[in-house]
Amino acid sequence: MSMKDDHPDQEWSAAFDGEQEPQALRFMLKRAHSDADLGKRWSRWALARDLLAHRQVAPAPADFAARVAASIAAQPAHAETAPVAAAGGRRWMGGAFGLAIAASVAWAALTLYVAPQNESASSSPLVQSAPLQSPPAMTPVAGGPALGQSPVQLVSVQSGVTPVSYVPFRGRDAYMVRHSLGAQLAPLGVVNTASFLTAPVSAEVSGSDSADVDADAAGVR
Amino acid sequence: MEARMAEVDEDRALVERVQAGESRAFDLLVRKYQHRVLGLIGRMINDWAEAQDVAQEVFLRAYRSINAFRGDSSFYTWLYRIAVNTSKNHLVSNGRRPSTTDVETVETEHWSGAERMQEHATPEHELLRQEMERSVVSTVEALPEEIRLALTLREVDGLSYEEIAQVMDCPIGTVRSRIFRGRDAVDRNLKELMP
């Protein structure tokens, strides 16, 4: 094997010792992903090091690392490792993001339910609203799923076009929307903004930081 | 002390890649420490199949908690604590009390109670381990002097490339090359036992 041929594996060996060039690691990780033999070699190098140092090791089965990778891949998305750089501002960002979502949802709900109302729609059980000028009426699609259980599509009575689908709000989102709508619809004389947000409050979408539980269980903190 | 610092820093780049969301880097950390973690757990749990399950759980927990790792100790020291705690929890949850002797024993990294390990491993497993050890040691002994010295200074004494370069009075690039050549020679023989 020539020195030129040796070069990539020499970099790999340096990376094993944490002595690689900083920019090289990213390329090497890509290479490791496409070349399974590199991972195996890394495993053998580690075993050789441990045996040379007379550490009490137990050679792992050939598929052990693959089993660990599979168990990691099978984890729920929320348990995945988040970039550590974002950790400092995560809570603040989470709150601000939640408020932004709630505000957007409230605006969308207003657009859908208030602006399109006319006299015929005002009798809809979905919302009671002050009459506005020339909006197309919206009604639930016949045969569609019931409100509060799954998405409801609204169809323009005049055009028959389906403009948007509506997903009932739950939990904290429903609470935020109710309050946003209450504040914005009150000047219009609307008092019952909650009637179309009848989905029960559920823990389904409540925030969870369960990824931290395992660290505590393992006693690593 | 400087050698120790080199050891602490060795996995930093990989850990940072994992913390940045690149799980491929974690696979390399698993491959690097799987044998040591299995050896450690095998000394606490007297069952090879169970030890593998617990080791898998250890790596999974380490992955989930990787953002809690701040680099105050080496990655392996951190992993080691997870392994000991997870093994203790496993024994307790199965109604088995962790033996004080076992826990004290595993605290010693270079524990020399090989006979105890032999009790826990299957005879075939232990024979394979002994054969691998013989292969590695005999290959290293047969290496040219400058390659053998560079490799052992790195693998046994834990010196950094810069420190080895100072000891051997040669450029770092030469150290890098010598270590790779030694490692590659060992690997070619070890590969026959562990494809």
Side-chain angles (χ1 to χ4, degrees), chain B residues 32-185:
Chain B
K32 195 168 184 178
Y33 294 114
Q34 57 185 348
H35 314 295
R36 283 165 84 172
V37 167
L38 271 165
L40 170 68
I41 295 171
R43 294 198 293 278
M44 296 182 72
I45 298 172
N46 191 10
D47 185 292
W48 177 234
E50 266 184 57
Q52 288 183 66
D53 289 343
V54 173
Q56 194 171 322
E57 180 65 20
V58 166
F59 283 111
L60 190 57
R61 285 183 172 185
Y63 181 77
R64 283 175 181 157
S65 314
I66 195 78
N67 284 339
F69 177 68
R70 296 284 174 250
D72 299 329
S73 62
S74 73
F75 174 75
Y76 180 69
T77 301
W78 182 74
L79 187 65
Y80 175 96
R81 290 193 201 113
I82 297 177
V84 169
N85 287 329
T86 307
S87 300
K88 283 182 188 171
N89 291 345
H90 174 82
L91 289 171
V92 169
S93 68
N94 284 280
R96 287 140 65 186
R97 205 174 143 203
S99 155
T100 310
T101 311
D102 284 346
V103 174
E104 282 172 358
T105 307
V106 297
E107 298 295 335
T108 309
E109 174 91 52
H110 295 272
W111 178 60
S112 59
E115 67 284 354
R116 186 64 182 263
M117 189 66 190
Q118 287 167 20
E119 287 173 18
H120 293 180
T122 63
E124 299 81 8
H125 197 259
E126 178 53 25
L127 274 174
L128 178 63
R129 195 194 68 79
Q130 288 177 3
E131 197 173 349
M132 286 174 170
E133 187 166 349
R134 275 195 299 271
S135 166
V136 169
V137 171
S138 63
T139 307
V140 170
E141 283 174 351
L143 289 171
E145 173 66 21
E146 70 277 10
I147 294 178
R148 180 168 58 82
L149 182 58
L151 188 64
T152 51
L153 285 174
R154 175 64 215 163
E155 303 292 49
V156 180
D157 298 311
L159 298 193
S160 69
Y161 284 14
E162 189 178 354
E163 290 162 340
I164 296 170
Q166 286 170 5
V167 169
M168 298 187 73
D169 194 22
C170 65
I172 286 183
T174 305
V175 170
R176 180 186 291 244
S177 168
R178 286 175 180 171
I179 289 174
F180 168 70
R181 284 158 66 191
R183 207 168 253 164
D184 194 42

Side-chain angles (χ1 to χ4, degrees), chain A residues 153-187:
Chain A
Q153 284 195 322
L154 299 179
V155 176
S156 165
V157 172
Q158 292 174 354
S159 64
V161 175
T162 304
V164 70
S165 63
Y166 164 66
V167 180
F169 305 110
R170 293 172 187 274
R172 189 172 57 184
D173 288 343
Y175 174 85
M176 295 298 294
V177 170
R178 270 189 214 115
H179 282 256
S180 297
L181 287 178
Q184 295 180 58
L185 295 181

Side-chain angles (χ1 to χ4, degrees), chain A residues 67-155:
Chain A
R67 275 189 272 155
V68 172
S71 65
I72 287 172
Q75 290 297 297
H78 73 271
E80 286 290 320
T81 303
V84 72
R90 196 182 304 155
R91 287 203 177 102
W92 183 87
M93 285 299 290
F97 187 66
L99 284 174
I101 292 275
S104 302
V105 165
W107 179 84
L110 278 171
T111 304
L112 282 173
Y113 289 98
V114 178
Q117 296 304 316
N118 60 14
E119 289 180 1
S120 62
S122 67
S123 60
S124 164
L126 290 176
V127 63
Q128 294 172 2
S129 168
L132 297 172
Q133 288 184 342
S134 65
M138 301 292 201
T139 62
V141 175
L147 183 65
Q149 292 178 351
S150 55
V152 174
Q153 284 195 322
L154 299 179
V155 176

Side-chain angles (χ1 to χ4, degrees), chain B residues 6-22:
Chain B
E7 232 173 90
V8 169
D9 291 337
E10 185 179 299
D11 299 311
R12 179 170 292 174
L14 281 174
V15 170
E16 284 174 357
R17 297 308 308 163
V18 181
Q19 288 175 332
E22 198 162 353

